[in-house]
Amino acid sequence: MASDTRQAPQNVTPESPVSTRSDSYLFAIYYTYFHPAHPILPPREHFQEAHLPSYLRQAVKFVASHFTSSVSSETYGHAIVETVLRAGPSANKVQALLLLSVALHSRTEHVESKKCLNAAVDLAFELGLDRATYAETESPNDPTRAECLRRTWWEIFVIEGLLISFGVQHTCRTAVKPLEVPLPCEESTFREGLTSSNPQTIAQFDTHVFADEEPEFSSHTYRIDAVRILNWALKIRDMSGSNENLIEAIDARIASWFLNLPSSKAELLRQDGSVNEIMFQACMIVNIASIHLNFSRSGLMSSSAVSADVICSQQVSPRDSAFSHNCHAAKALRAANELSSLAAISSPVEKHTPLLTCGLALSCIVQLAVIKAGKMSDANRDRIGLNIGVLRSMGRTWAISKLTMQKIKAAARDVFALGSQPPVDLFDFTTLLDLNEQFLVDGSTS
């Protein structure tokens, strides 16, 4: 990893001025590059006064260290994981575990990542973060902290859903709970330290399209709804038997999600040129859901290029398909193209969630399958090139992006070579994400 070559500041003690300056520098990096995609901690202006425990601050510095060459992530190493796991039960511990889970996954340390995520889910249930009244009860006179607690629960819901779709997790425990926690507010409101005294709910969101005057919901709400759609698509993918009605219902839900986006949410670029990272993720997640719903029913999997067992390619019989194979193929390809279009949005790619890596890998798999099926176009080739470019840039920060880029490039070389057959393991998405420990060893030495 790039972090292996970074040097930690020398002769730094917790009390030294150099250490204080280093901490401030890392906190600033965290809020610049990582917080916009996973904003569960207090706004930057409130960070110092939030009196967060030292282990949570250490977790923040560990995440931030990946974005700079002046501090080595190995300075913190795995000691931070054990420190957090030993901490007493609290919502702050849940937050630290969640941050570590995302960072460790992005370092390809999947065993440790799963341990942290499972511990975060266990503790969230133990504390009652999933209860509607938890945030207000725990922080009756601190609306900013109450908002952070709501966001923490919903962030677990989002991360768990995404990691299940990528084959990292196998059960989604948060999805089976009643979704009664009030919804997070808009990011601009949160940054200003203003929160609603009567936050909206999922029940209100589910009926908003039928209202004469549709109420406004935060970007977080649409990302949460996107994960619900993803969970439904994954459930259908794993079902046996004829499910035409369910397939049609989820397909309609995906289309409806995009059609009913208000203009303020459909435009991901703000006037100042920054990207609405939460809506960026929401769009990414719905397109991932479409790939999971359609790719395995598209007929593309019968291509020799993708004859291996891809994580999103459970084979289904023709009677399970509500649409023709060509229709499913078109929908899967459209979703793959949209993921590439998201990647093309002008923004420092380092500010995107590192989980974008797995979405881009899915996009490439679908497009390579289309090309191998004899439907190659320059546009497909260019989109794959774009995905590889984004993975290359993200690979300077996260090991998973660099390794995924290498695998996609190898697969693309084989597919583009006339008459050659791509190695089947390159289309095994579980292998692609290096979930097999032996493959990790082989991949690191190749």
Side-chain angles (χ1 to χ4, degrees), residues 366-427:
V366 173
Q367 296 191 66
L368 288 172
V370 169
I371 291 170
K372 191 62 181 180
K375 302 175 182 178
M376 187 174 97
S377 69
D378 290 339
N380 290 127
R381 185 191 293 262
D382 291 341
R383 288 189 183 98
I384 294 171
L386 169 64
N387 291 354
I388 288 173
V390 173
L391 291 171
R392 181 191 302 277
S393 295
M394 295 180 70
R396 301 185 185 110
T397 304
W398 301 113
I400 194 171
S401 302
K402 181 178 180 180
L403 197 52
T404 300
M405 178 199 69
Q406 294 169 345
K407 298 303 177 183
I408 292 296
K409 287 175 70 173
R413 286 195 299 270
D414 286 327
V415 169
F416 292 148
L418 184 63
S420 68
Q421 300 294 327
V424 293
D425 66 333
L426 294 177
F427 285 93

Side-chain angles (χ1 to χ4, degrees), residues 305-325:
V306 282
S307 58
D309 182 22
V310 183
I311 193 65
C312 61
S313 66
Q314 178 177 320
Q315 298 299 310
V316 292
S317 62
R319 70 175 182 277
D320 290 328
S321 180
F323 309 103
S324 69
H325 285 331

Side-chain angles (χ1 to χ4, degrees), residues 299-358:
L300 293 171
M301 293 307 302
S302 61
S303 164
S304 59
V306 282
S307 58
D309 182 22
V310 183
I311 193 65
C312 61
S313 66
Q314 178 177 320
Q315 298 299 310
V316 292
S317 62
R319 70 175 182 277
D320 290 328
S321 180
F323 309 103
S324 69
H325 285 331
N326 287 342
C327 184
H328 282 297
K331 291 173 184 289
L333 180 59
R334 184 184 305 121
N337 291 345
E338 287 298 322
L339 287 171
S340 294
S341 296
L342 287 173
I345 293 177
S346 178
S347 175
V349 297
E350 294 84 0
K351 290 188 177 183
H352 295 318
T353 174
L355 301 181
L356 172 62
T357 293
C358 306

Side-chain angles (χ1 to χ4, degrees), residues 16-132:
S16 71
V18 174
S19 175
T20 301
R21 289 197 300 271
S22 176
D23 287 357
S24 297
Y25 172 61
L26 287 173
F27 294 151
I29 287 177
Y30 174 88
Y31 274 93
T32 298
Y33 291 103
F34 192 83
H35 179 79
H38 302 283
I40 61 174
L41 298 185
R44 183 174 177 179
E45 294 75 15
H46 300 268
F47 180 77
Q48 294 296 348
E49 63 192 52
H51 305 297
L52 302 177
S54 59
Y55 64 79
L56 179 52
R57 290 172 177 262
Q58 287 291 102
V60 167
K61 289 188 286 185
F62 172 68
V63 172
S65 67
H66 293 83
F67 295 92
T68 176
S69 59
S70 63
V71 179
S72 171
S73 59
E74 307 311 317
T75 301
Y76 306 95
H78 292 279
I80 181 58
V81 176
E82 295 307 316
T83 298
V84 172
L85 288 172
R86 288 196 304 268
S90 71
N92 287 141
K93 179 176 179 177
V94 175
Q95 292 170 330
L97 288 167
L98 192 54
L99 296 180
L100 290 174
S101 176
V102 175
L104 292 168
H105 169 81
S106 306
R107 289 163 59 98
T108 70
E109 297 175 25
H110 301 292
V111 173
E112 290 289 283
S113 173
K114 289 176 67 175
K115 179 195 296 185
C116 288
L117 181 60
N118 288 331
V121 176
D122 289 340
L123 183 53
F125 287 151
E126 177 185 332
L127 296 173
L129 262 72
D130 58 312
R131 298 198 305 264

